[in-house]
Coordinates of all heavy atoms in Angstrom, one line a residue:
M1418 N 10.6 57.9 -52.4 CA 9.9 56.8 -51.8 C 9.7 57.0 -50.3 O 8.6 56.6 -49.8 CB 10.5 55.5 -52.2 CG 10.5 55.3 -53.7 SD 8.9 55.2 -54.3 CE 9.0 53.9 -55.5
L1419 N 10.7 57.5 -49.6 CA 10.6 57.7 -48.2 C 9.5 58.7 -47.9 O 8.7 58.5 -46.9 CB 11.9 58.3 -47.7 CG 12.0 58.5 -46.1 CD1 11.8 57.1 -45.4 CD2 13.3 59.1 -45.8
A1420 N 9.4 59.7 -48.7 CA 8.3 60.7 -48.4 C 6.9 60.0 -48.6 O 6.0 60.3 -47.7 CB 8.4 61.8 -49.5
L1421 N 6.7 59.1 -49.5 CA 5.4 58.4 -49.6 C 5.2 57.5 -48.4 O 4.1 57.5 -47.8 CB 5.4 57.5 -50.8 CG 5.2 58.1 -52.2 CD1 5.4 57.1 -53.3 CD2 3.9 58.8 -52.3
R1422 N 6.2 56.8 -48.0 CA 6.1 56.0 -46.7 C 5.7 56.9 -45.5 O 4.8 56.5 -44.7 CB 7.4 55.3 -46.4 CG 7.2 54.1 -45.5 CD 8.4 53.2 -45.4 NE 9.3 53.4 -46.6 CZ 10.6 53.4 -46.5 NH1 11.2 53.2 -45.4 NH2 11.4 53.6 -47.5
F1423 N 6.3 58.0 -45.4 CA 6.0 58.9 -44.3 C 4.6 59.5 -44.4 O 3.8 59.5 -43.4 CB 7.0 60.1 -44.3 CG 8.3 59.9 -43.7 CD1 9.3 60.8 -43.8 CD2 8.6 58.6 -43.1 CE1 10.5 60.7 -43.3 CE2 10.0 58.5 -42.6 CZ 10.9 59.4 -42.6
A1424 N 4.1 59.8 -45.6 CA 2.8 60.3 -45.8 C 1.7 59.3 -45.5 O 0.7 59.6 -44.9 CB 2.6 60.8 -47.2
E1425 N 2.1 58.0 -45.8 CA 1.0 57.0 -45.6 C 1.1 56.4 -44.1 O 0.0 56.1 -43.6 CB 1.3 55.8 -46.5 CG 1.0 56.2 -48.0 CD 1.4 55.0 -48.9 OE1 2.2 54.1 -48.6 OE2 0.7 54.9 -50.0
H1426 N 2.3 56.4 -43.5 CA 2.4 55.7 -42.2 C 2.9 56.6 -41.1 O 2.8 56.2 -40.0 CB 3.3 54.5 -42.3 CG 2.9 53.5 -43.5 ND1 1.8 52.8 -43.3 CD2 3.4 53.3 -44.7 CE1 1.6 52.1 -44.4 NE2 2.6 52.3 -45.2
S1427 N 3.5 57.7 -41.4 CA 4.1 58.7 -40.4 C 5.6 58.5 -40.4 O 6.1 57.7 -41.2 CB 3.5 58.5 -39.0 OG 3.8 59.6 -38.2
C1428 N 6.2 59.3 -39.6 CA 7.6 59.3 -39.5 C 8.0 59.5 -38.0 O 7.2 60.0 -37.2 CB 8.3 60.3 -40.4 SG 8.1 61.9 -39.9
P1429 N 9.2 59.2 -37.6 CA 9.6 59.4 -36.2 C 9.5 60.9 -35.8 O 9.8 61.8 -36.6 CB 11.1 59.0 -36.1 CG 11.3 58.1 -37.4 CD 10.3 58.7 -38.4
S1430 N 9.0 61.1 -34.6 CA 8.9 62.5 -34.1 C 10.2 63.3 -34.1 O 10.1 64.5 -34.1 CB 8.2 62.5 -32.8 OG 9.0 61.8 -31.9
T1431 N 11.3 62.6 -34.1 CA 12.6 63.2 -34.1 C 13.1 63.6 -35.5 O 14.0 64.3 -35.6 CB 13.6 62.3 -33.5 OG1 13.6 61.0 -34.2 CG2 13.3 62.1 -32.0
H1432 N 12.4 63.2 -36.5 CA 12.8 63.5 -37.9 C 12.6 65.0 -38.1 O 11.6 65.5 -37.7 CB 11.9 62.7 -38.9 CG 12.5 62.7 -40.2 ND1 12.2 63.8 -41.1 CD2 13.2 61.8 -41.0 CE1 12.8 63.5 -42.3 NE2 13.4 62.4 -42.2
P1433 N 13.5 65.6 -38.8 CA 13.4 67.0 -39.1 C 12.1 67.5 -39.8 O 11.6 68.6 -39.7 CB 14.6 67.4 -40.0 CG 15.5 66.3 -39.8 CD 14.7 65.1 -39.4
A1434 N 11.5 66.6 -40.6 CA 10.2 66.9 -41.3 C 9.0 66.5 -40.6 O 7.9 66.5 -41.2 CB 10.3 66.4 -42.7
A1435 N 9.1 66.0 -39.4 CA 7.9 65.4 -38.7 C 6.7 66.3 -38.6 O 5.6 65.9 -38.9 CB 8.3 65.0 -37.3
H1436 N 7.0 67.6 -38.4 CA 5.8 68.5 -38.3 C 5.2 68.7 -39.7 O 4.0 68.9 -39.7 CB 6.3 69.9 -37.7 CG 7.3 70.6 -38.5 ND1 8.6 70.2 -38.8 CD2 7.1 71.7 -39.3 CE1 9.2 71.1 -39.5 NE2 8.3 72.0 -39.9
I1437 N 5.9 68.7 -40.7 CA 5.4 68.8 -42.0 C 4.6 67.6 -42.4 O 3.5 67.6 -42.9 CB 6.5 69.1 -43.2 CG1 7.2 70.4 -42.8 CG2 6.0 69.1 -44.5 CD1 8.4 70.7 -43.7
V1438 N 5.1 66.4 -42.1 CA 4.4 65.1 -42.4 C 3.1 65.1 -41.6 O 2.0 64.8 -42.2 CB 5.3 63.9 -42.0 CG1 4.5 62.7 -42.1 CG2 6.5 63.8 -42.9
R1439 N 3.1 65.6 -40.4 CA 1.9 65.6 -39.6 C 0.8 66.6 -40.2 O -0.3 66.2 -40.3 CB 2.2 66.1 -38.1 CG 1.4 65.5 -37.1 CD 1.9 65.8 -35.7 NE 2.8 66.9 -35.4 CZ 4.1 66.8 -35.3 NH1 4.7 65.6 -35.3 NH2 4.8 67.9 -35.0
R1440 N 1.3 67.7 -40.7 CA 0.4 68.7 -41.4 C -0.1 68.0 -42.7 O -1.4 68.2 -43.0 CB 1.1 70.0 -41.6 CG 1.4 70.8 -40.4 CD 0.2 71.5 -39.8 NE -0.6 72.3 -40.7 CZ -0.5 73.6 -40.9 NH1 0.5 74.2 -40.3 NH2 -1.3 74.2 -41.7
I1441 N 0.7 67.4 -43.4 CA 0.2 66.7 -44.7 C -0.9 65.7 -44.4 O -1.9 65.6 -45.0 CB 1.3 66.1 -45.4 CG1 2.3 67.2 -46.0 CG2 0.9 65.1 -46.5 CD1 3.6 66.7 -46.5
Q1442 N -0.6 64.9 -43.3 CA -1.6 63.8 -42.9 C -2.9 64.5 -42.4 O -4.0 63.9 -42.7 CB -1.0 62.9 -41.8 CG 0.1 62.1 -42.3 CD 0.7 61.3 -41.2 OE1 1.0 61.7 -40.1 NE2 1.2 60.1 -41.6
E1443 N -2.8 65.6 -41.7 CA -4.0 66.3 -41.2 C -4.8 66.8 -42.5 O -6.0 66.7 -42.5 CB -3.7 67.4 -40.3 CG -3.2 67.0 -38.9 CD -2.6 68.1 -38.1 OE1 -2.6 69.3 -38.6 OE2 -2.0 67.8 -37.0
S1444 N -4.1 67.4 -43.4 CA -4.8 67.9 -44.6 C -5.4 66.8 -45.4 O -6.5 67.0 -46.0 CB -3.7 68.7 -45.4 OG -3.3 69.8 -44.8
A1445 N -4.7 65.7 -45.5 CA -5.1 64.6 -46.3 C -6.5 64.0 -45.8 O -7.3 63.4 -46.5 CB -4.1 63.4 -46.3
Q1446 N -6.8 64.2 -44.5 CA -8.1 63.7 -43.9 C -9.2 64.5 -44.5 O -10.3 64.0 -44.3 CB -8.0 63.8 -42.4 CG -7.0 62.8 -41.8 CD -6.9 63.0 -40.3 OE1 -7.6 63.7 -39.7 NE2 -6.0 62.2 -39.7
E1447 N -9.0 65.6 -45.1 CA -10.1 66.4 -45.6 C -10.7 65.8 -47.0 O -11.7 66.3 -47.5 CB -9.7 67.8 -45.8 CG -9.4 68.5 -44.6 CD -8.8 69.9 -44.8 OE1 -9.1 70.5 -45.8 OE2 -8.2 70.5 -43.9
F1448 N -10.0 64.8 -47.5 CA -10.3 64.2 -48.8 C -11.1 62.9 -48.6 O -10.7 62.1 -47.7 CB -9.1 64.0 -49.7 CG -8.5 65.3 -50.1 CD1 -7.4 65.8 -49.3 CD2 -8.9 66.0 -51.2 CE1 -6.8 66.9 -49.7 CE2 -8.2 67.2 -51.6 CZ -7.2 67.6 -50.8
D1449 N -12.1 62.6 -49.4 CA -12.8 61.3 -49.3 C -11.9 60.2 -49.8 O -11.9 59.1 -49.4 CB -14.1 61.4 -50.1 CG -15.1 62.3 -49.5 OD1 -15.1 62.4 -48.3 OD2 -15.9 62.9 -50.3
Q1450 N -11.2 60.5 -50.9 CA -10.3 59.6 -51.5 C -8.9 60.2 -51.9 O -8.9 61.4 -52.4 CB -10.9 59.0 -52.8 CG -10.0 57.9 -53.4 CD -10.6 57.4 -54.7 OE1 -11.6 57.9 -55.2 NE2 -10.1 56.3 -55.2
L1451 N -7.9 59.6 -51.5 CA -6.6 60.2 -51.8 C -5.7 59.0 -52.2 O -5.6 58.0 -51.7 CB -6.0 60.8 -50.5 CG -4.7 61.5 -50.6 CD1 -4.8 62.7 -51.6 CD2 -4.3 62.0 -49.3
I1452 N -4.9 59.3 -53.3 CA -4.0 58.3 -53.8 C -2.6 58.9 -53.8 O -2.3 60.0 -54.3 CB -4.3 57.9 -55.2 CG1 -5.7 57.3 -55.3 CG2 -3.3 57.0 -55.8 CD1 -6.2 57.1 -56.7
W1453 N -1.6 58.2 -53.0 CA -0.2 58.7 -53.0 C 0.5 58.0 -54.1 O 0.4 56.8 -54.2 CB 0.4 58.3 -51.7 CG -0.3 59.0 -50.5 CD1 -1.2 58.3 -49.6 CD2 -0.2 60.3 -50.0 NE1 -1.7 59.2 -48.7 CE2 -1.0 60.4 -48.9 CE3 0.6 61.4 -50.4 CZ2 -1.1 61.6 -48.2 CZ3 0.5 62.6 -49.7 CH2 -0.3 62.6 -48.6
Q1454 N 1.2 58.7 -54.9 CA 1.9 58.1 -56.1 C 3.1 58.8 -56.3 O 3.3 59.9 -56.4 CB 1.0 58.3 -57.3 CG 1.5 57.6 -58.5 CD 0.6 57.7 -59.7 OE1 -0.6 58.0 -59.6 NE2 1.1 57.4 -60.9
H1455 N 4.2 58.0 -56.5 CA 5.6 58.5 -56.8 C 5.7 58.9 -58.2 O 5.2 58.2 -59.1 CB 6.7 57.4 -56.4 CG 8.0 57.9 -56.8 ND1 8.6 57.6 -57.9 CD2 8.9 58.7 -56.1 CE1 9.8 58.1 -58.0 NE2 10.0 58.7 -56.8
S1456 N 6.3 60.0 -58.4 CA 6.6 60.5 -59.8 C 8.0 61.0 -59.8 O 8.4 61.8 -59.0 CB 5.5 61.6 -60.1 OG 5.8 62.1 -61.4
L1457 N 8.7 60.7 -60.9 CA 10.1 61.2 -61.0 C 10.0 62.7 -61.2 O 9.0 63.2 -61.8 CB 10.8 60.6 -62.3 CG 11.0 59.1 -62.2 CD1 11.5 58.6 -63.5 CD2 11.9 58.7 -61.0
R1458 N 11.0 63.5 -60.7 CA 10.9 64.9 -60.8 C 10.8 65.4 -62.2 O 10.3 66.5 -62.5 CB 12.1 65.6 -60.1 CG 13.4 65.4 -60.8 CD 14.5 66.2 -60.0 NE 14.6 65.6 -58.7 CZ 15.8 65.2 -58.2 NH1 16.9 65.5 -58.8 NH2 15.8 64.7 -57.0
E1459 N 11.4 64.6 -63.2 CA 11.3 65.0 -64.6 C 9.9 65.0 -65.1 O 9.5 65.6 -66.1 CB 12.2 64.2 -65.4 CG 13.7 64.3 -65.2 CD 14.2 63.4 -64.0 OE1 13.4 62.7 -63.4 OE2 15.4 63.4 -63.8
G1460 N 9.1 64.1 -64.5 CA 7.7 64.0 -64.9 C 6.8 64.9 -64.2 O 5.5 65.0 -64.5
N1461 N 7.2 65.6 -63.2 CA 6.3 66.5 -62.4 C 7.2 67.7 -61.9 O 7.5 67.8 -60.8 CB 5.8 65.8 -61.2 CG 4.6 66.5 -60.6 OD1 4.5 67.7 -60.8 ND2 3.9 65.9 -59.7
R1462 N 7.6 68.5 -62.8 CA 8.4 69.6 -62.6 C 7.8 70.7 -61.6 O 8.5 71.3 -60.8 CB 8.8 70.3 -63.9 CG 9.8 69.5 -64.6 CD 10.1 70.0 -66.0 NE 9.0 69.7 -66.8 CZ 8.8 70.1 -68.1 NH1 9.7 70.9 -68.6 NH2 7.8 69.8 -68.8
L1463 N 6.4 70.8 -61.6 CA 5.7 71.7 -60.7 C 6.0 71.2 -59.2 O 6.3 72.0 -58.4 CB 4.3 71.7 -61.0 CG 3.5 72.7 -60.2 CD1 4.0 74.1 -60.3 CD2 2.0 72.6 -60.6
A1464 N 5.8 69.9 -59.0 CA 6.0 69.4 -57.6 C 7.5 69.5 -57.3 O 7.8 69.9 -56.1 CB 5.6 67.9 -57.6
D1465 N 8.4 69.4 -58.2 CA 9.8 69.5 -57.9 C 10.2 71.0 -57.6 O 10.9 71.3 -56.6 CB 10.6 69.1 -59.1 CG 12.2 69.1 -58.9 OD1 12.6 68.5 -57.8 OD2 12.9 69.7 -59.7
C1466 N 9.5 71.9 -58.2 CA 9.7 73.3 -58.0 C 9.2 73.6 -56.5 O 9.9 74.4 -55.8 CB 8.9 74.1 -59.0 SG 8.8 75.9 -58.6
F1467 N 8.0 73.1 -56.2 CA 7.5 73.3 -54.8 C 8.3 72.7 -53.8 O 8.5 73.2 -52.6 CB 6.0 72.9 -54.7 CG 5.0 73.8 -55.3 CD1 4.0 73.3 -56.1 CD2 5.1 75.1 -55.1 CE1 3.0 74.1 -56.7 CE2 4.2 76.0 -55.6 CZ 3.1 75.5 -56.5
A1468 N 8.9 71.5 -54.1 CA 9.8 70.9 -53.1 C 11.0 71.7 -52.8 O 11.4 71.9 -51.7 CB 10.1 69.5 -53.6
K1469 N 11.6 72.3 -53.8 CA 12.8 73.1 -53.7 C 12.4 74.4 -52.9 O 13.1 74.8 -52.1 CB 13.3 73.5 -55.1 CG 14.1 72.3 -55.7 CD 14.5 72.6 -57.1 CE 15.1 71.3 -57.7 NZ 15.4 71.6 -59.1
K1470 N 11.2 75.0 -53.3 CA 10.7 76.1 -52.6 C 10.5 75.8 -51.1 O 10.9 76.6 -50.2 CB 9.5 76.6 -53.2 CG 8.9 77.8 -52.6 CD 9.6 79.1 -52.8 CE 9.3 79.7 -54.2 NZ 10.1 80.9 -54.5
G1471 N 10.0 74.6 -50.8 CA 9.8 74.3 -49.4 C 11.0 74.2 -48.6 O 11.1 74.5 -47.4
L1472 N 12.2 73.7 -49.3 CA 13.4 73.7 -48.6 C 13.9 75.1 -48.2 O 14.5 75.3 -47.2 CB 14.5 73.0 -49.4 CG 14.3 71.5 -49.6 CD1 15.3 71.0 -50.7 CD2 14.5 70.8 -48.3
E1473 N 13.6 76.0 -49.0 CA 14.0 77.5 -48.8 C 13.2 78.1 -47.7 O 13.6 79.0 -47.0 CB 13.8 78.3 -50.0 CG 14.6 78.0 -51.2 CD 14.3 78.7 -52.5 OE1 13.3 79.5 -52.5 OE2 14.8 78.4 -53.5
M1474 N 11.9 77.6 -47.5 CA 11.0 78.1 -46.4 C 11.3 77.7 -45.0 O 10.8 78.3 -44.1 CB 9.6 77.8 -46.8 CG 9.1 78.3 -48.1 SD 7.6 77.8 -48.7 CE 6.4 78.4 -47.4
Q1475 N 12.2 76.9 -44.8 CA 12.7 76.4 -43.5 C 11.6 76.1 -42.5 O 11.5 76.8 -41.5 CB 13.6 77.5 -42.9 CG 14.9 77.7 -43.8 CD 15.8 78.7 -43.2 OE1 15.6 79.2 -42.2 NE2 16.8 79.0 -44.0
G1476 N 10.8 75.2 -42.9 CA 9.7 74.7 -41.9 C 8.4 75.3 -42.0 O 7.4 74.9 -41.4
E1477 N 8.2 76.5 -42.8 CA 6.9 77.0 -42.9 C 6.0 76.1 -43.7 O 6.5 75.3 -44.5 CB 7.0 78.3 -43.7 CG 7.6 79.5 -43.0 CD 7.7 80.7 -43.8 OE1 6.7 81.0 -44.5 OE2 8.7 81.4 -43.8
F1478 N 4.8 76.1 -43.5 CA 3.8 75.3 -44.2 C 2.8 76.2 -44.9 O 2.2 77.0 -44.2 CB 3.0 74.3 -43.3 CG 2.2 73.3 -44.0 CD1 2.6 72.2 -44.6 CD2 0.8 73.6 -44.1 CE1 1.8 71.3 -45.2 CE2 -0.1 72.7 -44.8 CZ 0.5 71.5 -45.3
R1479 N 2.7 76.1 -46.2 CA 1.9 77.0 -47.0 C 0.9 76.2 -47.9 O 1.5 75.3 -48.6 CB 2.6 78.0 -47.7 CG 1.8 79.0 -48.4 CD 2.6 80.0 -49.0 NE 3.3 80.8 -48.0 CZ 4.4 81.6 -48.2 NH1 4.8 81.7 -49.5 NH2 5.0 82.1 -47.3
V1480 N -0.3 76.5 -48.0 CA -1.3 75.8 -48.9 C -1.7 76.9 -49.9 O -2.0 78.1 -49.6 CB -2.5 75.4 -48.2 CG1 -3.5 74.8 -49.2 CG2 -2.2 74.3 -47.2
F1481 N -1.5 76.6 -51.2 CA -1.8 77.6 -52.2 C -3.2 77.3 -52.8 O -3.5 76.2 -53.1 CB -0.7 77.5 -53.4 CG 0.6 77.9 -53.0 CD1 1.5 76.9 -52.6 CD2 1.0 79.2 -53.1 CE1 2.8 77.3 -52.3 CE2 2.3 79.5 -52.7 CZ 3.2 78.6 -52.3
G1482 N -4.0 78.3 -52.8 CA -5.3 78.2 -53.4 C -5.3 78.1 -54.9 O -6.2 77.6 -55.5
T1483 N -4.3 78.8 -55.4 CA -4.1 78.8 -56.9 C -2.6 78.6 -57.2 O -1.8 78.8 -56.3 CB -4.5 80.2 -57.6 OG1 -3.8 81.2 -57.0 CG2 -6.1 80.3 -57.4
I1484 N -2.3 78.3 -58.4 CA -0.9 78.2 -58.8 C -0.2 79.5 -58.8 O -0.6 80.5 -59.5 CB -0.8 77.5 -60.1 CG1 -1.4 76.2 -60.1 CG2 0.7 77.4 -60.6 CD1 -1.6 75.6 -61.4
P1485 N 0.9 79.7 -58.1 CA 1.6 81.0 -58.1 C 2.1 81.3 -59.5 O 2.4 80.4 -60.3 CB 2.9 80.7 -57.2 CG 2.5 79.6 -56.4 CD 1.5 78.7 -57.2
N1486 N 2.1 82.6 -59.9 CA 2.4 83.1 -61.2 C 3.9 82.5 -61.6 O 4.0 82.1 -62.8 CB 2.6 84.5 -61.3 CG 1.2 85.2 -61.3 OD1 0.2 84.5 -61.6 ND2 1.1 86.4 -60.9
S1487 N 4.8 82.4 -60.6 CA 6.1 81.8 -61.0 C 6.1 80.3 -61.4 O 7.1 79.9 -62.0 CB 7.1 82.0 -59.8 OG 6.6 81.3 -58.7
A1488 N 5.0 79.7 -61.1 CA 4.9 78.2 -61.4 C 4.0 77.9 -62.6 O 3.8 76.7 -62.9 CB 4.6 77.4 -60.2
T1489 N 3.4 78.9 -63.2 CA 2.3 78.7 -64.2 C 2.9 77.9 -65.4 O 2.2 76.9 -65.8 CB 1.7 80.0 -64.7 OG1 1.1 80.6 -63.5 CG2 0.7 79.8 -65.7
L1490 N 4.1 78.3 -65.9 CA 4.6 77.6 -67.1 C 4.9 76.1 -66.8 O 4.7 75.3 -67.7 CB 5.8 78.3 -67.6 CG 5.6 79.7 -68.2 CD1 6.9 80.3 -68.6 CD2 4.6 79.6 -69.4
L1491 N 5.4 75.9 -65.6 CA 5.7 74.5 -65.3 C 4.3 73.6 -65.2 O 4.3 72.5 -65.6 CB 6.3 74.4 -63.9 CG 7.8 75.0 -63.9 CD1 8.3 75.0 -62.4 CD2 8.7 74.1 -64.7
Y1492 N 3.3 74.3 -64.6 CA 2.0 73.6 -64.6 C 1.5 73.3 -66.0 O 1.0 72.1 -66.3 CB 1.0 74.4 -63.9 CG -0.4 73.9 -64.0 CD1 -0.8 72.8 -63.2 CD2 -1.4 74.5 -64.9 CE1 -2.1 72.3 -63.3 CE2 -2.6 74.0 -64.9 CZ -3.0 73.0 -64.2 OH -4.3 72.4 -64.3
V1493 N 1.6 74.2 -66.9 CA 1.1 74.0 -68.3 C 2.0 72.9 -68.9 O 1.4 72.0 -69.5 CB 1.3 75.3 -69.1 CG1 1.0 75.0 -70.6 CG2 0.3 76.3 -68.6
A1494 N 3.3 72.9 -68.7 CA 4.1 71.9 -69.4 C 3.8 70.5 -68.7 O 3.7 69.5 -69.5 CB 5.6 72.2 -69.2
D1495 N 3.6 70.4 -67.5 CA 3.4 69.1 -66.8 C 1.9 68.6 -67.3 O 1.7 67.4 -67.5 CB 3.3 69.2 -65.3 CG 4.8 69.3 -64.7 OD1 5.7 69.0 -65.5 OD2 4.9 69.5 -63.5
S1496 N 1.0 69.5 -67.4 CA -0.4 69.2 -67.8 C -0.4 68.6 -69.2 O -1.2 67.8 -69.5 CB -1.3 70.4 -67.6 OG -1.4 70.7 -66.3
A1497 N 0.4 69.3 -70.0 CA 0.5 68.8 -71.5 C 1.2 67.5 -71.6 O 1.3 67.0 -72.7 CB 1.1 69.9 -72.3
G1498 N 1.9 67.1 -70.6 CA 2.6 65.8 -70.7 C 3.9 66.0 -71.4 O 4.5 65.0 -72.0
S1499 N 4.6 67.2 -71.4 CA 5.9 67.4 -71.9 C 6.9 66.5 -71.3 O 6.9 66.2 -70.2 CB 6.3 68.9 -71.7 OG 5.4 69.8 -72.3
L1500 N 7.7 65.9 -72.2 CA 8.7 65.0 -71.7 C 10.1 65.6 -71.7 O 10.4 66.4 -72.6 CB 8.7 63.7 -72.7 CG 7.4 62.9 -72.7 CD1 7.6 61.8 -73.7 CD2 7.1 62.4 -71.4
I1501 N 10.8 65.3 -70.7 CA 12.2 65.7 -70.6 C 13.0 64.4 -70.3 O 12.8 63.7 -69.5 CB 12.4 66.7 -69.5 CG1 11.7 68.0 -69.9 CG2 13.9 66.9 -69.1 CD1 12.0 69.2 -68.9
K1502 N 14.1 64.3 -71.1 CA 15.0 63.2 -70.9 C 15.6 63.3 -69.5 O 16.1 64.3 -69.0 CB 16.1 63.2 -71.9 CG 17.1 62.0 -71.8 CD 18.1 62.1 -72.9 CE 19.1 61.0 -72.7 NZ 20.2 61.0 -73.7
R1503 N 15.6 62.1 -68.8 CA 16.1 62.0 -67.4 C 17.6 62.3 -67.4 O 18.3 61.8 -68.2 CB 15.9 60.7 -66.8 CG 16.2 60.6 -65.4 CD 15.7 59.5 -64.6 NE 16.1 59.7 -63.2 CZ 15.5 59.4 -62.2 NH1 14.4 58.8 -62.3 NH2 16.0 59.6 -61.0
G1504 N 18.0 63.2 -66.4 CA 19.4 63.5 -66.3 C 19.7 64.8 -67.2 O 20.9 65.2 -67.2
S1505 N 18.8 65.4 -67.8 CA 19.2 66.6 -68.6 C 18.7 67.8 -67.9 O 18.1 67.9 -66.9 CB 18.6 66.5 -70.0 OG 17.1 66.4 -69.9

């Protein structure tokens, strides 16, 4: 929920993710309409995968034009609405 608050309103410039939040806000301005919505990681495994990958990238910001091959199966599962019991 903190990430949603940061995306919608910003975060302190001293926060370790401030530069990423700023880039997200800049990118969001390119859309006519944008809806920020929280989703549990079990309901959006692709986003969870990218979040974990982002932690490994140590501050780099990357925009993917297409889904990386390593994430294709997660995309298909999320798109199909596959359910996973929380905590498993």
Side-chain angles (χ1 to χ4, degrees):
M1418 297 298 221
L1419 182 61
L1421 284 176
R1422 195 168 344 139
F1423 281 175
E1425 290 177 336
H1426 305 291
S1427 195
C1428 70
S1430 60
T1431 56
H1432 192 280
H1436 66 287
I1437 296 172
V1438 172
R1439 217 173 11 262
R1440 291 288 304 268
I1441 290 169
Q1442 290 174 327
E1443 290 169 3
S1444 297
Q1446 291 177 5
E1447 297 178 21
F1448 296 93
D1449 294 330
Q1450 181 180 13
L1451 185 64
I1452 298 170
W1453 300 101
Q1454 182 176 344
H1455 177 264
S1456 178
L1457 297 172
R1458 75 176 62 133
E1459 294 87 355
N1461 193 344
R1462 288 173 284 175
L1463 181 60
D1465 187 52
C1466 172
F1467 282 135
K1469 289 175 183 170
K1470 178 71 80 184
L1472 290 173
E1473 296 170 5
M1474 295 171 64
Q1475 299 181 5
E1477 291 180 44
F1478 185 82
R1479 184 172 300 162
V1480 175
F1481 295 95
T1483 60
I1484 298 166
N1486 290 339
S1487 60
T1489 301
L1490 291 177
L1491 292 173
Y1492 171 75
V1493 170
D1495 284 350
S1496 296
S1499 299
L1500 298 176
I1501 291 187
K1502 183 179 176 183
R1503 185 163 183 148
S1505 57

